[in-house]
Amino acid sequence: MLTQPTEKDDNLVQWIRNGIAVRVFGSDVDASQSVASEIAALIRQRAAEGESCVLGLATGSTPVRVYRELIRIHREENLSMKHVVTFNLDEYFPMQPDAAQSYVRFMNEQLFDHVDIPRSSIHIPDGTIGRDGVDEYCQQYEDAINVAGGIDLQLLGIGRTGHVGFNEPGSEVDSATRLVELCDITRSDAANDFGGLDNTPELAITMGVGTILRSRRIRLLAFGQHKSAIVARSVQGEITDSVPATYLQGHDDVQFALDSAAASTLDPK
Ligand code: PGA
């Protein structure tokens, strides 16, 4: 296990712990720009190979600056996203796509309305599916990822429960896309968006841990002091279903891009 810093400059400190490459940036903007640059380079590389680039995308406040930077690169550096295929991690259930809290709406506003990804290449779990059809729908979502060739790069945030996507504590390492119950902590973190806990959904559709782990690269972003304890448990703790992000330790190309506040509880040894 390599635990010593492997690179250090004014803005970046990085080391590897339990298989996770931890990168601590001077700011959340620096971290987001670095991840966006990597995504842009991957899109260009796949295009040069004549292949589409399959991205797994996340919602929440954390990835917003990555999307802003991708829009800038698209506009100012002529990044074509015509051959990008996307699969979002999750969606509340039930959820109408035009609702204020919908992840469809979020993704349109934050990214899709501003770049040239074909609408037919965009996949977001459908919160309007009837309850009886959810299992079949989730299997079709898995199938669509496989038909697209698997996810080249999965972007992740992390919840205070240690969830990735909406894989809450108790999620199994080989879990697939499915309907899940949200934890109380996750619901209370979302309650502001829904005008109170009583209006906050109890269910969501999420890609599984197994779905995420099949991605060829995983890039998790976490910013702010309130994420530092769960980041430290995810990187330094034993792999356990009570902190689903610890499963990422078993992946062979996973990086955590952090600001110094989110890294403040980590022990770089
Ligand atoms: P956040 O959510 O980006 O809004 O902090 C992250 C998550 O719950 O996965």
Side-chain angles (χ1 to χ4, degrees):
M1 182 173 60
L2 176 59
T3 57
Q4 294 306 306
T6 53
E7 184 182 324
K8 187 172 168 121
D9 65 29
D10 285 348
N11 292 314
L12 174 65
V13 180
Q14 59 180 359
W15 67 93
I16 298 173
R17 180 80 176 266
N18 289 336
I20 295 177
V22 179
R23 311 183 80 209
V24 185
F25 291 82
S27 72
D28 55 349
V29 174
D30 292 347
S32 301
Q33 287 177 345
S34 172
V35 171
S37 295
E38 180 181 6
I39 292 171
L42 184 60
I43 292 169
R44 288 196 162 109
Q45 180 200 321
R46 299 290 285 164
E49 294 164 355
E51 301 286 342
S52 57
C53 181
V54 184
L55 299 177
L57 298 180
T59 49
S61 55
T62 307
V64 164
R65 283 185 196 79
V66 172
Y67 299 146
R68 207 172 292 164
E69 177 66 3
L70 280 173
I71 294 165
R72 188 199 65 74
I73 298 171
H74 166 69
R75 287 184 181 156
E76 296 178 13
E77 299 175 17
N78 297 320
L79 175 69
S80 170
M81 299 181 79
K82 282 204 176 95
H83 299 291
V84 171
V85 177
T86 68
F87 290 90
N88 263 78
L89 281 168
D90 47 21
E91 175 61 292
Y92 293 108
F93 184 90
M95 179 56 66
Q96 293 299 317
D98 55 353
Q101 307 88 353
S102 151
Y103 287 163
V104 173
R105 183 164 170 171
F106 176 97
M107 289 306 302
N108 285 340
E109 291 176 356
Q110 299 298 329
L111 182 65
F112 297 145
D113 286 348
H114 312 285
V115 295
D116 59 346
I117 303 172
R119 292 280 155 175
S120 58
S121 300
I122 291 169
H123 307 82
I124 301 177
D126 184 351
T128 71
I129 292 288
R131 185 74 188 245
D132 289 351
V134 172
D135 290 350
E136 192 184 345
Y137 175 80
C138 290
Q139 182 57 54
Q140 288 167 357
Y141 203 77
E142 290 280 326
D143 293 345
I145 293 172
N146 292 333
V147 167
I151 293 170
D152 290 308
L153 186 149
Q154 175 68 56
L155 202 55
L156 294 177
I158 183 170
R160 288 192 301 135
T161 60
H163 72 207
V164 285
F166 276 135
N167 292 285
E168 299 284 24
S171 295
E172 292 178 14
V173 67
D174 58 355
S175 51
T177 302
R178 68 205 187 285
L179 190 65
V180 293
E181 285 184 25
L182 298 173
C183 279
D184 291 345
I185 293 175
T186 298
R187 291 183 66 237
S188 69
D189 281 350
N192 262 348
D193 294 340
F194 286 91
L197 198 56
D198 288 348
N199 304 324
T200 306
E202 295 178 355
L203 301 174
I205 296 174
T206 184
M207 276 187 202
V209 176
T211 324
I212 292 167
L213 290 176
R214 277 193 297 281
S215 308
R216 287 181 273 280
R217 299 186 202 179
I218 296 175
R219 301 294 179 258
L220 183 146
L221 298 151
F223 306 133
Q225 186 67 39
H226 62 299
K227 296 288 175 76
S228 66
I230 198 65
V231 163
R233 281 191 74 189
S234 303
V235 174
Q236 293 163 193
E238 303 226 318
I239 298 176
T240 167
D241 70 355
S242 56
V243 182
T246 59
Y247 289 131
L248 301 175
Q249 294 177 19
H251 193 274
D252 63 9
D253 190 351
V254 55
Q255 293 181 8
F256 280 27
L258 311 173
D259 66 0
S260 50
S264 59
T265 311
L266 276 170
D267 179 7
K269 280 189 269 165

